[in-house]
Amino acid sequence: MPIRPLANSFYFLASFLRYICFAMKKIDKLILSSFLGPFVLTFLVVVFILLLQNMLKYFDDIIGKDLGWDVIGTLLFYFAVSMTPLALPLAVLLSSLITYGNLGEHFELTAVKSLGISMVRSLAPIFVFTLLITYVAYLANNYMVPKAALETYSLLYDIKQKKPGLDLREGAFYSGIPDISIKVSKKYPDGITLKDVIIYDHRGRNGNKQVTIADSGRMLTIFNERYLKLELFRGYNYEEGSSQDMSGGGNPSDETFSKTKFDKTEIVFDLSSFGLNRTDKKWFASNRIMRNMAELQLDMDSVNKEIKGQQLGIYNMQASFFNFHFKKDSVVMPKELKAFKRSKDSLNNARRKDTTKAAPPLRYELPPSAGLSATRKISVPQTIRPRDIKMSDSLFNWETNGMIITSAINRARMAKSQIQNLNTNIESYRYEYRVFEIQWHKIIANSIACIAMFLIGAPLGAIIKKGGLGVPVLASILFFIIFYILSLMGEKWARSEALPILVGMWMSNAILFAIGLLFLRQARADARLFDADFYNVMIDKLRQRFKLAFKLKSKTA
């Protein structure tokens, strides 16, 4: 994670906050203080809810793996950071609704307006604070979230690959330890004492020829749970083997059998395969959600070069597959491809000059007996021109032209196959380019959503005039669902090219901005959109108009 941009950003934030604190008036401090408490509380609650909902997806992969609290805590922390892009807009919406709902419910907004302070002016302190939150959201989305996503999903992958914890079940063979099978008939509640233990040792790779049976035993882990120690009591050790010696002598058909009785024995098994092995994070770093805007821009430039390289390959096929084309028959290369070809050729020439020297031209020295003293170059024609074909090789000479026609058909099929492969590669690269560009816009759009949510929440709270966690929570959930659905639909349509990427990624913010400006207009006019009396009056007016219109019709009839 780049340290210098973050340090400069936090220095700018500190300076801006210090300036705002000196410039604020008492009314601004009152409104802002009533907003900060609900914002912090709602942000923590929203992060917890989103974290719980996200962790439920991977509950089956985490449970039963004997993970330490440090691993679980690390996973929860990084998941919580990854939830920040969704949590901040929802927290701004809910807290602004609660703040202005409380102010309207206790007639504090009425007192503010009586002092000559307009509705827009009363929104100014929280709007400035929302701008700061938007900037912090941008920093989090661009720097913290990609780093947290890399740590989260790499750790989650390693957890999925980890074996389940050591869990001996009564009456069933446990084969979690490599080449070892253990069965116990009873496991006591202390988790240590065992009854009727059977152990099959397959480490010799020769079948079930080493068996240990004990009447009881104790199971312990030693050396920081790296080894499993079994203390067995009153049992037998059976071993079956071949009589063939190491030199190859003896009869392989003759088998040996040994039985050893013991009152107490100890067996130690290695549990290193149960550990959490971390994978190198570089294998996950190429994913789009783990890249910041600068890295995404580099990825898009690289993919764009690959697309132009594939397109240039299609135009370069004319020389190899269409030998009889003239200059008038060739397809004109677009200007951007010509510029790309010039830059590519200049780079290749510069590299070639740095690495190798130009090779001397190929010359052929004629012998002195030829009577020529000059040195001549030997040129070989590469293609057969139409005028070189004799008149005897007519189209009706099937024996001569059959091979030519077959060669032309094969060449056409080869050209078609090459063009299809290049077009398939171009489509895959274009899809990858769209994915990176969508993520680039998503980082900014999720940050700007904080402003859109504020423009909805604050005027709507002033209109509702209800504080607490009742109506504000319901309204917040409704608008957040609208925002979430529009974001998903826009991203899906942009990925499938049903909409331009700019329209698809900014559609949700544009719609929410329009709704917020509409609510702001209604709040400035003191509209009572959510009062029952307002709608009762409207219904009574409509009834009176219908009655008047009905009377006029009856009189005219």
Side-chain angles (χ1 to χ4, degrees):
M1 183 186 301
I3 302 299
R4 190 175 184 83
L6 283 178
N8 294 335
S9 302
F10 285 124
Y11 177 76
F12 168 76
L13 284 176
S15 302
F16 187 72
L17 285 174
R18 186 171 62 251
Y19 173 77
I20 291 297
C21 290
F22 283 113
M24 279 196 309
K25 298 181 179 179
K26 289 184 178 181
I27 187 65
D28 298 329
K29 293 180 180 179
L30 173 65
I31 297 176
L32 188 59
S33 61
S34 62
F35 173 80
L36 288 177
F39 172 75
V40 174
L41 180 61
T42 53
F43 176 72
L44 295 178
V45 171
V46 169
V47 168
F48 175 76
I49 294 173
L50 294 176
L51 178 63
L52 185 62
Q53 178 263 340
N54 203 30
M55 288 295 293
L56 288 176
K57 299 179 184 178
Y58 308 103
F59 186 77
D60 293 337
D61 299 322
I62 297 173
I63 199 68
K65 295 294 184 72
D66 266 351
L67 300 174
W69 288 106
D70 55 340
V71 177
I72 296 177
T74 302
L75 188 64
L76 290 175
F77 172 75
Y78 285 123
F79 261 128
V81 175
S82 301
M83 295 297 104
T84 303
L86 284 177
L88 280 175
L90 184 55
V92 170
L93 174 62
L94 184 55
S95 58
S96 58
L97 260 169
I98 293 174
T99 300
Y100 280 88
N102 288 328
L103 293 176
E105 186 177 11
H106 297 93
F107 302 101
E108 293 178 351
L109 281 179
T110 306
V112 169
K113 292 178 182 179
S114 65
L115 295 175
I117 300 175
S118 64
M119 179 68 190
V120 177
R121 175 61 183 85
S122 65
L123 297 176
I126 302 182
F127 179 73
V128 173
F129 186 75
T130 304
L131 292 179
L132 294 178
I133 294 174
T134 304
Y135 187 63
V136 172
Y138 164 74
L139 295 178
N141 294 340
N142 195 30
Y143 296 106
M144 296 176 62
V145 173
K147 178 67 175 176
L150 177 61
E151 297 287 343
T152 300
Y153 290 103
S154 62
L155 179 59
L156 191 61
Y157 173 81
D158 295 334
I159 291 174
K160 290 181 179 180
Q161 302 302 316
K162 185 182 181 298
K163 290 183 179 180
L166 186 64
D167 185 16
L168 297 179
R169 296 184 180 180
E170 298 179 355
F173 279 99
Y174 176 78
S175 302
I177 302 174
D179 301 324
I180 299 294
S181 295
I182 304 175
K183 178 182 177 182
V184 296
S185 62
K186 184 174 180 58
K187 184 177 178 182
Y188 290 92
D190 59 0
I192 298 176
T193 308
L194 309 173
K195 181 70 175 177
D196 294 335
V197 183
I198 302 176
I199 301 174
Y200 286 94
D201 191 347
H202 302 146
R203 288 177 290 186
R205 306 290 181 182
N206 55 0
N208 297 328
K209 294 187 176 182
Q210 294 185 14
V211 184
T212 302
I213 300 176
D215 177 70
S216 61
R218 297 176 70 245
M219 179 178 63
L220 303 170
T221 54
I222 57 176
F223 296 110
N224 293 328
E225 299 184 352
R226 294 180 58 189
Y227 297 94
L228 174 65
K229 178 182 176 182
L230 288 178
E231 296 180 356
L232 304 179
F233 306 97
R234 296 182 299 278
Y236 295 91
N237 185 17
Y238 300 95
E239 185 172 357
E240 182 181 356
S242 174
S243 63
Q244 187 176 6
D245 55 15
M246 297 298 294
S247 62
N251 190 358
S253 62
D254 296 336
E255 298 288 337
T256 62
F257 180 79
S258 64
K259 175 182 178 182
T260 305
K261 182 180 180 181
F262 59 85
D263 291 331
K264 179 183 178 182
T265 187
E266 294 181 355
I267 305 176
V268 178
F269 298 113
D270 188 9
L271 299 181
S272 58
S273 60
F274 289 86
L276 182 63
N277 300 320
R278 295 307 308 272
T279 308
D280 195 347
K281 297 184 185 65
K282 68 179 182 180
W283 304 113
F284 306 91
S286 60
N287 193 284
R288 59 183 176 86
I289 63 174
M290 304 170 188
R291 316 282 284 176
N292 56 33
M293 293 181 65
E295 293 170 343
L296 289 171
Q297 189 64 51
L298 291 176
D299 293 336
M300 287 190 287
D301 293 340
S302 301
V303 174
N304 194 25
K305 289 181 181 178
E306 293 292 337
I307 293 174
K308 290 183 179 179
Q310 296 290 327
Q311 292 174 344
L312 187 61
I314 294 178
Y315 285 93
N316 291 335
M317 285 174 57
Q318 298 179 73
S320 58
F321 284 99
F322 307 101
N323 297 330
F324 301 107
H325 271 207
F326 298 98
K327 291 183 179 179
K328 294 182 180 179
D329 298 326
S330 61
V331 181
V332 179
M333 187 181 296
K335 293 182 180 180
E336 59 271 11
L337 280 184
K338 288 182 179 180
F340 176 73
K341 186 176 183 300
R342 285 195 298 269
S343 63
K344 186 177 180 181
D345 293 341
S346 62
L347 289 174
N348 291 335
N349 292 333
R351 292 170 183 169
R352 194 178 295 111
K353 288 180 182 179
D354 293 339
T355 55
T356 59
K357 295 181 180 180
L362 179 64
R363 295 178 178 272
Y364 179 72
E365 297 287 343
L366 293 176
S369 60
L372 297 173
S373 58
T375 302
R376 296 181 180 179
K377 296 182 181 179
I378 303 299
S379 61
V380 181
Q382 299 295 326
T383 60
I384 301 176
R385 293 167 294 181
R387 63 173 178 269
D388 295 333
I389 302 176
K390 297 180 180 180
M391 293 299 296
S392 60
D393 297 334
S394 64
L395 294 175
F396 300 98
N397 189 357
W398 296 106
E399 295 180 356
T400 304
N401 292 298
M403 297 178 61
I404 297 176
I405 294 173
T406 304
S407 176
I409 293 174
N410 292 334
R411 189 176 275 270
R413 288 173 178 170
M414 191 181 300
K416 179 182 177 182
S417 177
Q418 290 285 345
I419 292 174
Q420 287 178 343
N421 292 333
L422 289 173
N423 285 332
T424 302
N425 293 336
I426 289 173
E427 287 300 320
S428 63
Y429 281 127
R430 282 177 176 171
Y431 178 80
E432 190 175 355
Y433 184 89
R434 290 197 301 273
V435 168
F436 286 127
E437 189 175 0
I438 286 171
Q439 184 64 24
W440 191 91
H441 283 279
K442 193 174 181 180
I443 292 175
I444 305 178
N446 285 342
S447 305
I448 300 298
C450 296
I451 302 177
M453 290 298 183
F454 169 75
L455 289 178
I456 291 176
L460 187 60
I463 294 172
I464 294 175
K465 294 182 174 62
K466 295 290 183 181
L469 296 175
V471 178
V473 171
L474 295 177
S476 301
I477 292 174
L478 174 63
F479 283 104
F480 182 75
I481 290 174
I482 294 173
F483 167 72
Y484 190 69
I485 292 175
L486 290 175
S487 299
L488 290 181
M489 291 173 57
E491 184 176 350
K492 181 180 178 180
W493 290 341
R495 190 181 289 113
S496 61
E497 291 187 299
L499 284 178
I501 294 177
L502 191 64
V503 176
M505 296 309 298
W506 291 92
M507 177 179 65
S508 58
N509 281 339
I511 294 175
L512 291 180
F513 265 106
I515 296 174
L517 293 176
L518 177 63
F519 283 158
L520 181 60
R521 179 177 177 275
Q522 296 296 322
R524 290 182 62 187
D526 289 331
R528 299 181 297 167
L529 296 178
F530 297 94
D531 288 345
D533 295 337
F534 173 76
Y535 293 102
N536 291 331
V537 171
M538 293 291 293
I539 293 172
D540 290 338
K541 289 182 179 180
L542 290 175
R543 287 177 179 174
Q544 292 176 2
R545 288 183 180 180
F546 278 118
K547 289 180 180 180
L548 182 61
F550 182 75
K551 288 180 180 179
L552 291 175
K553 287 183 180 180
S554 61
K555 288 180 179 180
T556 55

